[in-house]
Amino acid sequence: MSAKPEVLAPYPRNLRNFAEALRTSRHSKLLGGSAILLAGSTFVSLVNFAYNVAVARMLGAAAFSHAAVAITLLMLVSSI
């Protein structure tokens, strides 16, 4: 009598089984890429926030509003 390979249930009962199912699933490349994209987007957002705070402190309210409009217009034009 041969041993059957262990089949993971569609809804694992504990965290260890869930992690193992993710690691061995055919979707692991997609999940890995998604995690990298999420980390990169978070990093860019934090850097952008720090930049805006620093520029706003250096320029003041009126000058910062002009800089923000200029940057927004440049982003819109570059996306086209």
Side-chain angles (χ1 to χ4, degrees), residues 5-6 17 23 25 36-38 42 44 51 53 59 62-64 69 72 74 76:
E6 189 174 316
N17 287 344
R23 203 172 82 236
S25 74
I36 291 171
L37 183 64
L38 178 64
T42 303
V44 168
Y51 169 79
V53 169
L59 295 179
F64 178 71
V69 168
T72 302
L74 285 172
L76 288 173

Side-chain angles (χ1 to χ4, degrees), residues 22-23 25-39:
L22 284 178
R23 203 172 82 236
S25 74
R26 58 186 167 160
H27 302 293
S28 64
K29 284 186 178 182
L30 176 67
L31 292 174
S34 297
I36 291 171
L37 183 64
L38 178 64

